[in-house]
């Protein structure tokens, strides 16, 4: 059975502005939303101090997990290979950063860490014995515009096969199933002078998975104005993958990111497909977590309030409906 | 508009700094213009202008919590951090601080973001009218 979790990336504004603390967000996620799991960016909403919380901090964290009825699902890791101005960290130094995060994840009870897509496969490969030691899996995030057939990823998969380790895998991000601009982004464009018929044309093209270069040339040829081109440009780093691709990589999936931008009042995502990808995940017997990962904050203007908590609630409702629990 | 563009700096908190009755400079309080905390050594560039007069890192000190650093010190501090949501006070040395009246303050902060392979630029301008000084 697929389990529901929430990435606290979704709550970035609530935490940044001081409106909600880590504990309050855990309470909301566990008690109000009834999610099974939580995902944090260890360097965004740290438990105690990153990367070495005290034992008392870890005990407090575990107390919150119990109290609010949530399980650690995934911890997002960053490897800062540009740590110093004049040099790039060596392979060994990057593996030390991976070890730092694997150790922290293990202390906090996370079974998986999300590894950023641009991290070199050599870093993950060299970290396998450490991951096995700590009992924490490493999942490389496949995030649009990356695809599973890109060489960067096929080489990763070859490395995983060669290693034979269960501690390496993939975290697909549902942004790869985006089919049109978010409703909120379209509304913003319409307010800035985009015309409805041109927005319709753009959506027709994106729904047909038109490559970006062709998308912009077709829009320009149709006489698109600045607001319409701006809307088209929001697809510059969006490359669609067919949901069935999840079947091909089934054995590698260690966690899923349910990226979303705009949930409407009926708890429908306005731009990313969920039904079919979740059906495929169900068919392949995926029994890990999918995290709600809200990224619509930047679609709100300076005087508009972005209700992250409500957006996440709607997304969890949708997942509940589609997963069946 | 991203979270940090909206909420990093409260222009009300751009103020003169007075020591022993003399305005010795001004300060800008800012949260990190990025979606997570970072090592101090990842802070690549800081520039602040007052009415077009630009100040660089050598004119500044940086305070997080109870610790104050120079820019050069921060560049050697991978283990100390500027956490997400935490305010840093940037003090800019300037005789007289900010004079009474309305002024323009431009803030630029660049953080090295490894996965993007670039310095992520944050640039904002404020019209301020601080009291005192």
């Amino acid at each position: 059975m697929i389990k529901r979790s929430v990435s606290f990336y979704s709550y970035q504004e609530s935490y940044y502005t001081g409106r909600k603390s880590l504990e309050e967000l855990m309470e909301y996620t566990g008690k109000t939303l009834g999610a099974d799991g939580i995902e944090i960016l260890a360097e965004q909403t740290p438990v105690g101090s990153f990367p070495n919380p005290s034992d008392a901090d870890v005990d407090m964290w575990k107390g919150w997990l119990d109290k609010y009825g949530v399980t650690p699902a995934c911890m997002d890791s960053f490897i800062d290979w540009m740590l110093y101005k004049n040099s790039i960290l060596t392979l060994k130094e990057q593996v030390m950063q991976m070890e730092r995060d694997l150790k922290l994840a293990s202390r906090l009870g996370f079974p998986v860490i999300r590894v950023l897509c641009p991290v070199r496969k050599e870093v993950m490969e060299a970290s396998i014995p450490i991951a096995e030691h700590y009992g924490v899996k490493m999942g490389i995030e496949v995030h649009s515009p990356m695809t599973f057939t890109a060489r960067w990823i096929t080489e990763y998969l070859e490395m995983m096969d060669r290693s034979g380790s269960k501690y390496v895998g993939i975290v697909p991000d549902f942004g790869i199933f985006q089919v049109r601009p978010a409703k909120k982004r379209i509304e913003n464009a319409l307010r800035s002078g985009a015309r409805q018929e041109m927005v319709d044309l753009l959506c027709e093209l994106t729904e047909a998975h038109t490559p970006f270069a062709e998308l912009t040339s077709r829009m320009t040829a149709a006489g698109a104005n600045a607001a319409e081109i701006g809307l088209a440009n929001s697809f510059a780093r969006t490359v669609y993958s067919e949901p069935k691709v999840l079947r091909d990589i089934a054995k590698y999936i260690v966690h899923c990111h349910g990226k979303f931008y705009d949930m409407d009042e009926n708890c429908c995502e306005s731009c990313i497909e969920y039904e079919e990808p979740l059906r495929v995940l169900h068919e392949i017997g995926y029994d890990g977590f999918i995290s709600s990962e809200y990224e619509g904050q930047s679609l709100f203007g300076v005087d508009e309030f972005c209700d992250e908590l409500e957006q996440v609630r709607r997304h969890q409702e949708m997942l509940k409906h589609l997963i069946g629990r | 508009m991203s979270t940090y563009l909206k909420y990093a700096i409260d222009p009300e908190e751009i103020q003169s700094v007075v020591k022993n009755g003399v305005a010795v400079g001004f300060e800008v309080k800012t949260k990190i213009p990025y979606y997570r905390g970072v090592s101090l050594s990842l802070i690549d560039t800081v520039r602040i202008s007052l009415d077009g007069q630009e100040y660089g890192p050598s004119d500044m000190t940086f305070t997080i919590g109870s610790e104050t650093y120079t820019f050069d010190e921060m560049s050697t501090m991978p283990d100390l951090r500027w956490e997400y949501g935490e305010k840093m006070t940037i003090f800019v040395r300037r005789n007289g601080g900010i004079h009474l009246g309305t002024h323009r303050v431009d803030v630029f902060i660049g953080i090295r973001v490894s996965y993007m392979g670039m310095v992520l630029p944050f640039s904002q301008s404020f019209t301020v009218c601080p009291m005192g000084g």
Side-chain angles (χ1 to χ4, degrees), chain A residues 84-126:
Chain A
Y84 300 103
K85 199 167 181 126
N86 300 318
S87 64
I88 296 291
L89 294 194
T90 63
L91 175 68
K92 203 169 176 178
E93 288 171 306
Q94 293 189 47
V95 171
M96 285 164 70
Q97 288 201 356
M98 191 76 90
E99 175 161 20
R100 170 198 71 187
D101 287 356
L102 287 164
K103 183 181 169 193
L104 175 61
S106 150
R107 287 184 72 200
L108 299 178
F110 286 101
V112 177
I113 63 170
R114 181 291 318 262
V115 176
L116 279 171
C117 195
V119 171
R120 290 154 56 207
K121 66 177 185 302
E122 289 78 10
V123 177
M124 187 186 277
E125 187 168 20

Side-chain angles (χ1 to χ4, degrees), chain A residues 72 83 87 107 115 142 152 196 199 248 287 289 297 324:
Chain A
L83 189 60
S87 64
R107 287 184 72 200
V115 176
V142 177
W152 187 261
Q196 186 63 52
V199 171
D248 305 332
D287 60 359
F289 288 95
Q297 290 87 352

Side-chain angles (χ1 to χ4, degrees), chain A residues 9 12-13 15-19 41 43-44 46 50-51 78-85 116 118 297-306 308, chain B residues 1-4 6-8 31-39 41-42 44-45 71 75-76 78 81 83-85 112-115 117-119:
Chain A
Y9 182 84
Q12 56 179 275
E13 205 152 292
Y15 185 89
Y16 189 75
T17 55
R19 282 196 293 269
L41 284 66
E43 297 185 58
Q44 183 184 62
F50 177 87
F78 295 85
I79 307 290
D80 280 311
W81 56 86
M82 286 158 62
L83 189 60
Y84 300 103
K85 199 167 181 126
L116 279 171
Q297 290 87 352
S298 63
L299 301 177
F300 287 77
V302 67
D303 296 322
E304 285 180 300
F305 174 66
C306 169
E308 298 167 328
Chain B
M1 185 178 264
S2 66
T3 297
Y4 49 83
K6 251 161 119 168
Y7 298 110
K31 293 181 180 178
I32 194 167
Y34 189 33
Y35 68 79
R36 64 174 173 101
V38 299
S39 297
S41 62
L42 285 167
D44 190 84
T45 320
F71 188 81
S75 67
T76 65
R81 298 177 56 82
E83 290 300 352
Y84 185 71
R112 281 195 305 285
V113 175
S114 300
Y115 79 87
M118 61 179 270
V119 174

Side-chain angles (χ1 to χ4, degrees), chain A residues 24-257:
Chain A
E24 288 167 333
L25 293 170
M26 288 171 74
E27 178 176 16
Y28 177 73
T29 304
K31 291 294 176 197
T32 306
L33 303 182
D36 305 300
I38 61 175
E39 171 170 356
I40 62 168
L41 284 66
E43 297 185 58
Q44 183 184 62
T45 55
V47 176
S49 75
F50 177 87
N52 296 309
S54 66
D55 289 339
D57 288 330
V58 175
D59 288 345
M60 187 166 64
W61 159 258
K62 290 187 171 161
W64 291 340
L65 292 170
D66 278 348
K67 187 171 173 190
Y68 304 121
V70 281
T71 306
C74 179
M75 188 186 98
D76 294 24
S77 157
F78 295 85
I79 307 290
D80 280 311
W81 56 86
M82 286 158 62
L83 189 60
Y84 300 103
K85 199 167 181 126
N86 300 318
S87 64
I88 296 291
L89 294 194
T90 63
L91 175 68
K92 203 169 176 178
E93 288 171 306
Q94 293 189 47
V95 171
M96 285 164 70
Q97 288 201 356
M98 191 76 90
E99 175 161 20
R100 170 198 71 187
D101 287 356
L102 287 164
K103 183 181 169 193
L104 175 61
S106 150
R107 287 184 72 200
L108 299 178
F110 286 101
V112 177
I113 63 170
R114 181 291 318 262
V115 176
L116 279 171
C117 195
V119 171
R120 290 154 56 207
K121 66 177 185 302
E122 289 78 10
V123 177
M124 187 186 277
E125 187 168 20
S127 303
I128 290 173
I130 306 165
E132 292 180 341
H133 170 77
Y134 286 110
V136 176
K137 295 179 180 179
M138 298 174 287
I140 178 92
E141 183 176 23
V142 177
H143 189 289
S144 191
M146 187 54 78
T147 63
F148 296 109
T149 50
R151 198 173 80 178
W152 187 261
I153 299 301
T154 58
E155 289 184 359
Y156 248 104
L157 297 180
E158 284 161 23
M159 178 277 284
M160 291 175 193
D161 289 342
R162 198 168 57 237
S163 77
S165 176
K166 287 187 164 46
Y167 285 84
V168 284
I170 286 209
V171 177
D173 178 288
F174 272 42
I176 60 177
F177 306 124
Q178 183 171 356
V179 289
R180 67 184 76 82
K183 183 165 67 72
K184 172 81 177 154
R185 191 184 292 282
I186 291 176
E187 288 164 4
N188 292 346
L190 288 169
R191 266 203 303 278
S192 311
R195 294 158 292 178
Q196 186 63 52
E197 65 274 21
M198 291 297 283
V199 171
D200 293 344
L201 169 65
L202 176 66
C203 291
E204 239 171 70
L205 292 167
T206 60
E207 285 162 20
H209 318 311
T210 309
F212 180 67
E214 191 186 335
L215 187 73
T216 48
S217 62
R218 293 275 299 271
M219 291 297 289
T220 306
N225 65 26
E228 293 149 4
I229 289 291
L231 189 62
N233 282 343
S234 73
F235 258 64
R237 292 181 58 76
T238 304
V239 174
Y240 181 77
S241 292
E242 296 285 345
K244 63 174 189 261
V245 77
L246 295 174
R247 196 168 281 127
D248 305 332
I249 55 135
K251 66 173 178 179
Y252 303 103
I253 304 177
V254 291
H255 183 68
C256 289
H257 272 172

